[in-house]
Amino acid sequence: MKKTLSILIHIFVTLVFVGCQGNDELTTKPRLVVEGWIDDGGFPVVMLTTTVNISKEYQDIDSLQDHLLRWAKVTVSNGEETIVLTGAPDREMFPPYTYSSAYMRGEAGKTYTMTAQYENFYAEASTTIPASVPVDSFVIERSAVSDTLYTVKAYFTDNSDTHDYYMFFTRVNGHTEYYLMSHFGVVDDAQTKNPVGVDIYPGTTLFDEEYVQQFHYGDTVYVKFAHIDETSYNFWRDHETAVMIGRNPLFPVINNLRSNIRGGLGYWFGYGAKEYRLFIPKKEKRVVIVHPSSLGLSN
């Protein structure tokens, strides 16, 4: 059985690629892994790695930085102009290196093409940014099982005349400085009705020894709510399924995640995104936050 592992840096995604070629441990030719996005009103962000061959030998997490590509040429075009992104250390990410530029902001409705080139690697992808949709309200409630844990639920209004997809990301102040996919945070509006209510869960990293599905009192929770396209939905839905199945050793992940990257693996997505900041109370049993845009983080 031959496996290679690809590390998606920003969300600590593990992609497992499997091909049966006997029981011997084999290596495969490395492939380029792209992880990138551009928000409505935000700057492009791209991270590049190569796939990692799974070994029976212990691999320290620090060794994964050897697969980080620091000297690539990355460009983004909106059809009118093309910019070259600048690579730089970024302590808010792991591994701490991103390509970005302040010379181009994402605009809803526009299509953005990304190219990445490094030695013999070359990949490209295109994405269109959907219009952002606001969260109408958040409801924070004390957990039924603990006085120190709280649940969060978001409500928004979907356009019933179109088929749309959405996604929630979260980050907790003091835990990570970057957004992680909220568990069960991808939404297909064909399976919902207005007002749409979605439970918000913390994300998890490779370093979390124990996962708690709720938030602690005193937490500052940042929520990123993104209107996404079908391609993005398929990728994140595949990832969600892979995470759930991958926890059971009897059901290995055997398929790649569906991707829009040509010449590599990973993703390049446009998000119609808005960001919100929530404070988890220490005493209140139930808190309804209306008009969250007043918190000053939404676009």
Side-chain angles (χ1 to χ4, degrees):
M1 187 71 71
K2 178 182 69 177
K3 299 182 181 179
T4 59
L5 179 67
S6 168
I7 303 300
L8 290 183
I9 304 165
H10 172 64
I11 51 174
F12 297 97
V13 177
T14 300
L15 305 180
V16 181
F17 307 98
V18 181
C20 294
Q21 295 187 5
N23 296 321
D24 295 332
E25 181 181 345
L26 300 175
T27 60
T28 59
K29 184 178 180 180
R31 299 183 67 183
L32 179 63
V33 181
V34 178
E35 189 179 7
W37 63 93
I38 182 168
D39 292 346
D40 181 18
F43 303 124
V45 178
V46 174
M47 291 175 288
L48 302 176
T49 58
T50 59
T51 53
V52 182
N53 286 309
I54 290 182
S55 171
K56 295 179 182 178
E57 301 297 327
Y58 172 75
Q59 298 183 72
D60 188 273
I61 192 69
D62 291 336
S63 69
L64 297 178
Q65 294 205 44
D66 296 338
H67 298 269
L68 175 64
L69 303 184
R70 293 180 173 83
W71 306 106
K73 180 180 180 180
V74 182
T75 67
V76 174
S77 173
N78 61 8
E80 300 173 356
E81 59 178 334
T82 299
I83 61 170
V84 178
L85 305 191
T86 301
D90 189 342
R91 294 183 179 180
E92 295 184 356
M93 298 295 181
F94 176 82
Y97 199 89
T98 60
Y99 295 86
S100 189
S101 174
Y103 292 102
M104 180 179 290
R105 284 186 180 270
E107 295 182 43
K110 284 191 174 183
T111 297
Y112 295 83
T113 299
M114 181 279 311
T115 66
Q117 185 172 5
Y118 180 85
E119 295 182 351
N120 295 326
F121 295 115
Y122 179 83
E124 63 180 50
S126 295
T127 188
T128 301
I129 301 178
S132 60
V133 174
V135 171
D136 297 327
S137 64
F138 291 94
V139 175
I140 303 172
E141 291 190 286
R142 189 189 304 165
S143 169
V145 299
S146 172
D147 289 339
T148 63
L149 295 176
Y150 286 76
T151 62
V152 176
K153 192 164 189 173
Y155 290 89
F156 66 93
T157 302
D158 172 62
N159 183 354
S160 57
D161 294 330
T162 58
H163 190 178
D164 296 293
Y165 305 90
Y166 307 93
M167 182 172 179
F168 285 89
F169 301 86
T170 63
R171 67 182 177 92
V172 180
N173 194 32
H175 180 54
T176 63
E177 295 302 321
Y178 44 85
Y179 281 106
L180 299 168
M181 174 187 177
S182 175
H183 287 291
F184 309 108
V186 288
V187 179
D188 179 349
D189 72 352
Q191 304 170 9
T192 66
K193 61 180 181 180
N194 284 320
V196 182
V198 179
D199 292 312
I200 308 300
Y201 299 105
T204 185
T205 75
L206 292 175
F207 303 113
D208 295 330
E209 296 181 358
E210 181 180 359
Y211 175 69
V212 178
Q213 268 194 327
Q214 298 166 327
F215 299 96
H216 294 83
Y217 71 78
D219 281 345
T220 299
V221 179
Y222 296 86
V223 177
K224 178 177 176 179
F225 176 48
H227 186 190
I228 61 178
D229 61 15
E230 184 177 8
T231 300
S232 306
Y233 173 83
N234 288 335
F235 176 91
W236 289 113
R237 185 64 176 170
D238 286 352
H239 163 251
E240 191 173 70
T241 301
V243 169
M244 290 186 293
I245 294 177
R247 291 173 178 168
N248 188 332
L250 299 179
F251 298 96
V253 179
I254 60 174
N255 295 317
N256 293 350
L257 308 190
R258 284 174 283 183
S259 170
N260 66 340
I261 301 294
R262 298 179 295 276
L265 305 169
Y267 66 89
W268 164 249
F269 292 153
Y271 297 135
K274 289 182 175 291
E275 298 178 63
Y276 305 96
R277 181 179 58 221
L278 309 176
F279 299 101
I280 305 300
K282 292 187 177 182
K283 295 181 179 180
E284 289 80 356
K285 184 175 182 180
R286 187 173 190 271
V287 178
V288 178
I289 300 177
V290 185
H291 306 306
S293 58
S294 62
L295 296 174
L297 283 181
S298 58
N299 295 328

